[in-house]
């Protein structure tokens, strides 16, 4: 393709978008809203998935000891735990260590500690890492039977619920994506149809002077792609600021929630939205041109 | 060279537009196609640039069987033809220059060549000074001259005109005919459907008369032959 031709296409596209100012605006807005919903959904999905994976990797049993347990009894329990089949690692957490951990987690809200007074409410405990999630179900009740053990807990249920949730999200997501994509496609192809209609005389003359179908198609395709791309940019900007803002707020209050950091997540989501928006724009134009070009 | 042999056209619904048409047009000829309204002139003209396909028969343009062209090849046939209509078909939102340049942009001619060539043809039709005007600022005759400029800007082998003076007064029609004569003098073949009796009679060119879908007359230096 010649440079002068590309130049011509770009000018035509620009003129056309301006001429259909209102419809162009409406298309960009529709694309933006659809992609915004799509993007938000994607963020929720990716985060839930990440959370489930994170929790699963933490297949550990927490064993809380009674306060009456002596150092000797603690050592004996630790010994027994270490010898159990499937146990990879046993970490002893003293009352003092548990308190320290809690202090760290509180961050700048240390004043909450003062209400505790001198009392340390945390029990002695063991954290046991096991080689597989299945093993946990068998081990946990056994551990509960050991002397001076208050309770033995594991987070498996939470993990299972989360995986179920991601499954539902994935299924609902696919339906939502298809629905949104069709709506966007419809809007863009309608806009381009109006453009084509407004320029039908021009298209007919182009055919008479020997323009190839692709020469006629390009400006319209570019128009659709531009509308899709602009919509995607708007959606991306919203998503970026919403997620960054959300992340800040959540870090302040629910610090332990393992949310995905903005980079590279936002980069991926933005690229996805831009490609999706542009692609939908091109497809929408192509659809509305198909019928029209048969002169 | 343009050859039609045994061409017939039946429109869907059974209307017989053309029947057993045989025509042979040599390079450089100036041919009028005349006949009453609805006789098949338009169908005849439209077949030349493959807007209408015949039901039977064959059409050759410069040795190419245009009926065997694929949709992708049609634009390249049309680049050898300059097509002119009764209603000019200019783009109202473009200047005279842009309207003519358009035909060259479509075939991806280089910028510099476009500028030079457009000015040349505007000179030929005598409207160089209106290059920046818009079509609605021009008279009908001037608009048709722009359409002619657009048709010849790519140096076509054939110029095909469908009633080019149909909307113009006699005096203006003569100006237009002078331009066609000039184009023809450079060796371009011209095929023109017309109702303009005076013009046909005065020009003394080849005349093909079509009536009820058949060629009833084909004379080297013919006359219009119908009473208006």
């Amino acid at each position: 393709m010649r440079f002068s031709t590309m130049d011509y296409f770009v000018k035509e596209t620009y003129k056309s978008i301006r001429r259909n100012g209102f419809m162009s605006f409406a298309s960009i807005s529709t694309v933006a809203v659809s992609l915004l919903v799509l993007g938000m959904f994607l963020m929720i999905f990716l985060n839930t998935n990440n959370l489930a994976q994170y929790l699963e990797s933490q297949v550990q049993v927490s064993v809380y000891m009674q306060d009456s347990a002596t150092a000797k009894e603690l050592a004996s329990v630790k010994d027994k735990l270490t010898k159990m089949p499937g146990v990879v690692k046993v970490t002893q957490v003293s009352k003092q260590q548990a308190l320290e951990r809690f202090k760290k987690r509180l961050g700048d809200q240390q004043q909450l500690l003062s209400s505790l007074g001198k009392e340390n409410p945390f029990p002695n405990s063991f954290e046991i890492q096991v080689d597989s999630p299945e093993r946990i179900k068998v081990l946990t009740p056994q551990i509960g039977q050991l002397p001076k053990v208050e309770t033995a807990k594991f987070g498996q249920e939470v993990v299972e619920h989360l995986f179920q949730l991601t499954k539902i999200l994935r299924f609902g997501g696919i339906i939502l994506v298809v629905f949104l994509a069709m709506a966007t496609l419809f809007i863009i192809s309608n806009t381009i149809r109006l453009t084509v209609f407004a320029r039908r005389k021009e298209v007919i003359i182009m055919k008479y002077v020997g323009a190839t179908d692709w020469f006629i198609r390009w400006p319209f395709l570019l128009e659709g792609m531009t509308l899709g791309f602009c919509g995607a940019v708007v959606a991306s900007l919203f998503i970026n600021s919403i997620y960054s803002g959300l992340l800040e707020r959540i870090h302040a209050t629910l610090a332990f929630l393992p949310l995905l950091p903005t980079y590279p997540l936002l980069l991926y989501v933005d690229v996805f939205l831009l490609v999706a928006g542009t692609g939908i724009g091109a497809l929408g134009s192509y659809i509305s041109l198909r019928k029209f070009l048969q002169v | 060279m343009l050859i039609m042999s045994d061409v017939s056209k039946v429109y869907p619904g059974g209307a017989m537009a053309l029947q057993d048409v045989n025509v042979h047009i040599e390079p450089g000829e100036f041919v009028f196609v005349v006949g009453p309204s609805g006789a098949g002139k338009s169908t005849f003209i439209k077949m030349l640039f493959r807007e209408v396909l015949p039901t039977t028969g064959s059409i050759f343009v410069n040795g190419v069987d245009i009926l065997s062209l694929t949709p992708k090849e049609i634009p390249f046939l049309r680049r050898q033809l300059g097509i002119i209509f009764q209603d000019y078909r200019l783009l109202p939102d473009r200047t005279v220059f842009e309207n003519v340049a358009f035909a060259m942009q479509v075939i991806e001619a280089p910028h510099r060549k476009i500028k030079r060539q457009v000015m040349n043809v505007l000179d030929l039709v005598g409207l160089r000074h209106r290059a920046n005007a818009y079509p609605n600022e021009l008279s009908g005759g001037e608009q048709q001259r722009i359409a002619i400029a657009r048709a010849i800007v790519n140096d076509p082998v054939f110029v095909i005109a469908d009633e080019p003076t149909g909307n113009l007064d006699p005096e203006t029609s003569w100006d237009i005919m002078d331009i066609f004569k000039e184009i023809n003098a450079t060796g371009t073949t011209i095929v023109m459907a017309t109702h303009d009796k005076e013009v046909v009679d005065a020009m003394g060119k080849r005349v093909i008369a079509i009536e009820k879908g058949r060629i009833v007359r084909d004379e080297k230096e013919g006359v219009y032959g119908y009473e208006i």
Side-chain angles (χ1 to χ4, degrees):
Chain A
M1 197 188 293
R2 281 178 175 282
F3 175 75
S4 58
T5 304
M6 270 177 351
D7 183 49
Y8 172 80
F9 287 161
V10 171
K11 277 183 191 151
E12 286 305 303
T13 305
Y14 173 74
K15 263 203 281 186
S16 185
I17 288 176
R18 281 201 47 179
R19 187 163 28 199
N20 298 327
F22 180 72
M23 273 312 289
S24 301
F25 175 76
S27 310
I28 291 173
S29 313
T30 317
V31 176
V33 171
S34 303
L35 290 181
L36 185 65
V37 174
L38 194 67
M40 297 227 262
F41 185 82
L42 207 60
M43 308 296 272
I44 293 172
F45 175 72
L46 290 174
N47 268 304
T48 320
N49 224 5
N50 175 58
L51 188 65
Q53 264 168 17
Y54 168 79
L55 290 179
E56 200 194 32
S57 73
Q58 306 245 309
V59 278
Q60 64 172 28
V61 183
S62 302
V63 183
Y64 300 103
M65 302 302 292
Q66 294 169 4
D67 269 350
S68 62
T70 63
K72 210 174 167 191
E73 280 166 330
L74 287 175
S76 127
V77 169
K78 185 177 182 181
D79 194 45
K80 280 180 185 144
L81 288 172
T82 314
K83 283 176 183 157
M84 283 182 149
V87 170
V88 180
K89 199 178 158 201
V90 177
T91 317
Q92 189 166 0
V93 182
S94 70
K95 288 171 73 81
Q96 194 52 39
Q97 281 168 328
L99 184 66
E100 292 299 323
R101 270 195 203 175
F102 184 65
K103 273 188 186 167
K104 241 186 209 165
R105 191 179 284 179
L106 278 179
D108 56 0
Q109 290 168 297
Q110 298 288 337
Q111 75 277 6
L112 288 173
L113 274 178
S114 56
S115 62
L116 290 175
K118 289 229 166 98
E119 196 82 7
N120 179 352
F122 296 98
N124 283 303
S125 64
F126 295 100
E127 281 165 4
I128 303 167
Q129 264 174 30
V130 184
D131 59 0
S132 77
E134 290 79 47
R135 190 91 74 175
I136 286 187
K137 287 184 187 158
V138 190
L139 280 182
T140 312
Q142 287 177 21
I143 295 170
Q145 301 298 313
L146 294 173
K148 295 286 181 182
V149 168
E150 176 79 41
T151 48
K153 277 191 193 159
F154 72 102
Q156 186 67 11
E157 274 171 60
V158 184
V159 173
E160 269 169 12
H161 282 312
L162 266 177
F163 273 121
Q164 230 155 20
L165 183 63
T166 53
K167 233 184 252 174
I168 294 168
L169 281 178
R170 194 172 302 165
F171 181 69
I174 289 169
I175 293 174
L176 190 74
V177 166
V178 169
F179 182 76
L180 288 175
M182 294 221 308
T184 317
L185 209 59
F186 177 76
I187 293 287
I188 290 200
S189 74
N190 238 356
T191 308
I192 299 297
R193 190 169 316 174
L194 281 182
T195 317
V196 177
F197 188 75
R199 296 171 63 183
R200 64 196 182 285
K201 256 180 106 175
E202 200 174 324
V203 171
I204 290 169
I205 294 169
M206 283 169 116
K207 290 227 136 200
Y208 285 140
V209 294
T212 58
D213 281 356
W214 273 106
F215 187 92
I216 297 172
R217 229 175 248 145
W218 266 114
F220 295 110
L221 283 183
L222 280 180
E223 184 175 343
M225 286 161 80
T226 308
L227 297 179
F229 184 82
C230 290
V233 168
V234 173
S236 296
L237 288 176
F238 268 102
I239 295 250
N240 289 8
S241 62
I242 289 174
Y243 192 70
S244 308
L246 207 67
L247 218 53
E248 243 169 71
R249 216 158 281 182
I250 285 181
H251 269 314
T253 52
L254 299 162
F256 57 89
L257 209 62
L259 288 178
L260 291 163
T262 52
Y263 182 86
L265 174 70
L266 284 179
L267 183 72
Y268 290 152
V269 171
D270 288 352
V271 168
F272 171 79
L273 291 182
L274 291 179
V275 170
T278 313
I280 286 175
L283 192 64
S285 310
Y286 191 84
I287 289 172
S288 52
L289 278 172
R290 234 180 6 186
K291 275 188 198 162
F292 201 83
L293 277 179
Q294 291 159 356
V295 176
Chain B
M1 181 107 89
L2 197 154
I3 302 165
M4 277 195 185
S5 33
D6 302 323
V7 167
S8 295
K9 173 69 186 178
V10 183
Y11 281 107
M16 181 72 104
L18 285 180
Q19 220 175 330
D20 301 322
V21 169
N22 285 284
V23 173
H24 199 122
I25 296 172
E26 295 291 335
E29 275 197 277
F30 196 133
V31 183
F32 287 114
V33 180
V34 302
S37 303
K41 288 196 306 287
S42 242
T43 303
F44 179 89
I45 291 284
K46 282 177 181 162
M47 277 183 179
L48 299 180
F49 50 89
R50 231 196 102 148
E51 178 152 319
V52 174
L53 283 171
T55 316
T56 57
S58 56
I59 304 172
F60 285 83
V61 173
N62 277 342
V64 176
D65 175 6
I66 68 167
L67 304 183
S68 70
L69 296 179
T70 64
K72 278 200 165 140
E73 292 168 325
I74 294 174
F76 299 93
L77 163 74
R78 291 185 180 159
R79 289 176 191 192
Q80 301 175 47
L81 313 171
I83 307 170
I84 295 157
F85 302 92
Q86 182 172 2
D87 54 358
Y88 328 130
R89 304 207 181 166
L90 300 175
L91 297 169
D93 58 338
R94 296 181 196 221
T95 65
V96 163
F97 181 90
E98 287 166 341
N99 262 287
V100 179
F102 182 63
M104 291 188 84
Q105 283 165 339
V106 157
I107 65 165
E108 304 193 44
H111 258 320
R112 243 184 297 157
K113 194 181 165 199
I114 291 180
K115 190 147 199 231
R116 199 177 53 226
Q117 181 72 1
V118 171
M119 282 312 183
N120 281 346
V121 292
L122 285 181
D123 253 343
L124 184 82
V125 299
L127 284 173
R128 190 193 179 109
H129 62 289
R130 302 307 309 266
N132 292 320
Y134 284 88
N136 62 6
E137 299 165 26
L138 304 176
S139 69
E142 285 173 323
Q143 289 188 46
Q144 190 60 293
R145 284 197 268 166
I146 301 305
I148 294 171
R150 183 180 65 197
I152 61 170
V153 76
N154 287 323
D155 279 326
V157 186
F158 290 92
V159 167
I160 297 162
D162 194 1
E163 311 253 5
T165 57
N167 288 352
L168 305 174
D169 58 67
E171 204 173 319
T172 316
S173 297
W174 278 112
D175 293 341
I176 298 289
M177 280 304 153
D178 285 338
I179 294 170
F180 277 113
K181 260 198 262 180
E182 220 174 302
I183 295 166
N184 182 237
T186 63
T188 308
T189 312
I190 294 178
V191 181
M192 183 186 298
T194 185
H195 271 121
D196 205 327
K197 179 176 170 23
E198 262 183 66
V199 164
V200 175
D201 289 347
M203 295 270 283
K205 301 287 187 187
R206 180 175 171 188
V207 175
I208 295 174
I210 300 179
E211 271 177 56
K212 292 179 184 158
R214 289 176 184 278
I215 293 188
V216 293
R217 194 152 52 86
D218 186 350
E219 296 163 335
K220 266 276 169 273
E221 285 175 32
V223 291
Y224 189 79
Y226 295 97
E227 290 311 313
I228 300 170

